[in-house]
Amino acid sequence: MIGQHRLRRLYPRTLRGRLALIALVTSVLWIAVLTTVFNLALDRRLHAQADEVLRTRAEAVAATVDARPDGRLTVREPAEDQALDAGVWIYEGGRAIELPPNVPSALQRQADALVGRGTRFAETTSPSATRFYALPVAAPPVAGGGSKAAGGSGTAGGGEASGGGQAGTVVTSVSLDPYVSTADTALAGSIALSLVLLGGVYLLTRLVVRRALRPVGDMSAQAAEWSKAGVAERFGEGSRPAELVSLAANLDELLDRLAAVLRHEQRQAADISHELRTPLARITAETEWLARRPRTADEQRASHEAIASAAATMGRICETLLSEARTRTGQTPGSCDVLALAYELARRGTDGPPRTPVIEVRGGPATAGVSAALAERILSPLLDNARRYAAHTVLIECAAVAGTVRVTVADDGPGVPEEFRDSLFEPGRRATPGDGHDGAGLGLALARRLARAAGGDIALDAGHAGARFSVTLPAG
């Protein structure tokens, strides 16, 4: 746990540092592979050179050795005898007839071990790293009968010559210290060069990444400045790399959505104020009326009922707004029987003065995917308008249509003026402001917004006598 915490503290916090670290780690791995391959290839090449030197010297020494038919070797002394004698053994059979001066016993034993074993390489590390090469010296061919000629190295008689075997061995050696020193020097140099290269890569990567991320820093500074000023600015396209152009476009879209949400919340606050104003005013008026002078028991009971009704209305409004908020955040909206709700709204609507229009309900069972409170809040403004402008009858029709629930609220009144239809659902707009109605023109706007938040909609069906609104809700 402590190790993870320390590792987390060592890990860079900035994007520039992380990208530079990634580039450094990648470079370390790649340079390590290249350095390993280079030094392995150099080591093989140095060993090959040492073997070539041994082979060349052995062949040069063997050229000065003559094998006689009696198995004895004759060594001719070349002009550069000292150069050939260094690290050279000449064996006649298993007996050394020439060997290097002051040769260590360990090297002598290794040379003796190669005698008579054909062509081969060997290596020893004691007393120092030394490589050996053994080259056989062939005996002269013997005549077909197998008898040896008394003098000379040719074949006797006319029979077919046959090989006489191995008469001796030439062993050469070379110290590997110069080759090891060269390999060590190359390894140290490659490591030093790698470290310098990695340092340059890290610094250059940080510089390049900082320059590449400078537009991002500028965008961040712009956003911070805009947040202080509260100005509705946008990044736009500008002269940026393609990736940052896409980022700026996405941020602009996000800012647009945030601005829309802000406008929505501001409008919702205004709607809440409007919707709560009427019942609150009723409660205030009744309270003041009760406090001015003593009232009879019937008057007090009527005032109390009015206050209770207004408080219940306020409670329903608050619950509806909370339901709308839950619907917008993706929580389960619930379900309700729209036909039963229509009958309940019709029953409430007929409890009024004698001139209240008749409310008819038609249709079959239909379950909407919204709560009863939310559905009531959507339908109530439509039903209130229909009752206000209807001449005799208000009609509510319910039907389930292709995965949705459609509710139609119609009246036989004068209808919506044609010049007002385009702004019918705009907040604060009223067709006839002087009709004596104390509303602020927010009911239809709130109802439509609630319907759309729940996945439905409200529309005015033109071409009918009177006003006819069609409400579409998702099926439950």
Side-chain angles (χ1 to χ4, degrees):
M1 198 70 181
I2 297 177
Q4 293 180 354
H5 180 68
R6 290 179 178 176
L7 183 61
R8 194 177 299 113
R9 290 183 61 184
L10 292 176
Y11 192 71
R13 295 184 178 181
T14 62
L15 179 60
R16 180 181 63 182
R18 294 180 181 182
L19 291 177
L21 180 61
I22 292 173
L24 179 63
V25 172
T26 305
S27 301
V28 167
L29 296 177
W30 180 239
I31 291 178
V33 170
L34 292 180
T35 302
T36 302
V37 171
F38 167 74
N39 283 277
L40 289 177
L42 179 63
D43 186 69
R44 290 189 60 184
R45 180 58 183 166
L46 292 175
H47 273 76
Q49 289 180 356
D51 292 345
E52 185 64 26
V53 170
L54 291 171
R55 190 180 296 109
T56 301
R57 291 180 60 192
E59 291 174 353
V61 172
T64 66
V65 177
D66 295 329
R68 297 191 300 180
D70 60 359
R72 299 182 66 183
L73 300 180
T74 302
V75 180
R76 297 191 305 272
E77 296 296 333
E80 299 180 355
D81 184 57
Q82 293 181 352
L84 292 179
D85 286 344
V88 174
W89 287 262
I90 301 176
Y91 288 87
E92 184 181 78
R95 181 177 63 89
I97 61 175
E98 285 196 12
L99 66 160
N102 302 322
V103 62
S105 59
L107 299 183
Q108 183 64 47
R109 287 193 299 270
Q110 181 63 55
D112 294 341
L114 296 174
V115 175
R117 301 179 64 182
T119 303
R120 64 174 51 206
F121 289 94
E123 194 170 311
T124 182
T125 59
S126 177
S128 62
T130 306
R131 192 162 178 80
F132 294 83
Y133 175 67
L135 178 66
V137 177
V142 181
S147 60
K148 295 178 182 178
S153 58
T155 59
E160 185 177 358
S162 61
Q166 181 174 339
T169 305
V170 175
V171 178
T172 57
S173 67
V174 65
S175 176
L176 295 179
D177 289 341
Y179 300 95
V180 173
S181 177
T182 301
D184 292 344
T185 302
L187 178 60
S190 59
I191 292 176
L193 180 62
S194 300
L195 293 177
V196 173
L197 181 61
L198 289 175
V201 168
Y202 182 73
L203 295 177
L204 184 61
T205 302
R206 287 184 64 90
L207 178 61
V208 171
V209 171
R210 182 174 62 181
R211 292 180 62 88
L213 294 179
R214 185 174 299 169
V216 179
D218 295 340
M219 293 174 63
S220 177
Q222 287 181 355
E225 197 65 28
W226 294 344
S227 64
K228 294 178 182 178
V231 182
E233 299 285 351
R234 296 296 182 269
F235 291 104
E237 295 184 0
S239 57
R240 303 185 182 94
E243 296 83 359
L244 295 185
V245 170
S246 177
L247 175 63
N250 293 333
L251 290 177
D252 286 344
E253 292 180 3
L254 178 61
L255 291 173
D256 291 338
R257 288 195 293 271
L258 290 176
V261 170
L262 181 60
R263 289 193 299 270
H264 173 84
E265 297 300 330
Q266 292 174 344
R267 182 179 299 175
Q268 185 182 41
D271 293 344
I272 292 174
S273 175
H274 164 71
E275 294 296 326
L276 295 178
R277 185 183 299 116
T278 299
L280 182 60
R282 181 70 181 275
I283 293 175
T284 302
E286 292 292 341
T287 303
E288 292 178 352
W289 185 74
L290 285 173
R292 285 181 180 177
R293 61 183 177 85
R295 303 293 175 181
T296 64
D298 292 338
E299 291 175 338
Q300 289 183 359
R301 184 171 54 254
S303 294
H304 292 161
E305 291 176 354
I307 292 173
S309 176
T313 300
M314 293 180 66
R316 287 195 300 270
I317 292 173
C318 293
E319 181 63 27
T320 299
L321 293 173
L322 290 176
S323 300
E324 188 265 343
R326 287 193 295 267
T327 302
R328 286 192 292 110
T329 55
Q331 299 181 10
T332 303
S335 61
C336 69
D337 186 348
V338 177
L339 184 62
L341 177 62
Y343 278 114
E344 174 63 20
L345 293 177
R347 184 190 64 79
R348 295 179 191 172
T350 55
D351 295 342
R355 296 185 58 185
T356 299
V358 177
I359 302 177
E360 298 182 8
V361 179
R362 300 177 185 176
T367 302
V370 298
S371 64
L374 182 59
E376 178 181 349
R377 199 70 197 130
I378 293 173
L379 296 176
S380 292
L382 303 179
L383 187 58
D384 290 343
N385 282 351
R387 290 172 54 202
R388 184 175 302 113
Y389 296 108
H392 303 93
T393 305
V394 175
L395 177 62
I396 304 177
E397 293 182 296
C398 304
V401 181
T404 62
V405 173
R406 181 172 297 172
V407 181
T408 303
V409 179
D411 63 72
D412 57 355
V416 180
E418 185 174 356
E419 65 275 7
F420 184 69
R421 292 176 182 176
D422 293 338
S423 57
L424 177 62
F425 294 99
E426 293 182 6
R429 298 297 302 275
R430 295 178 56 189
T432 53
D435 59 358
H437 172 49
D438 59 354
L442 296 175
L444 291 180
L446 176 61
R448 190 181 212 184
R449 193 183 72 229
L450 293 175
R452 289 182 173 179
D457 202 358
I458 298 179
L460 174 66
D461 293 341
H464 296 274
R468 180 183 176 92
F469 291 90
S470 178
V471 181
T472 303
L473 296 174

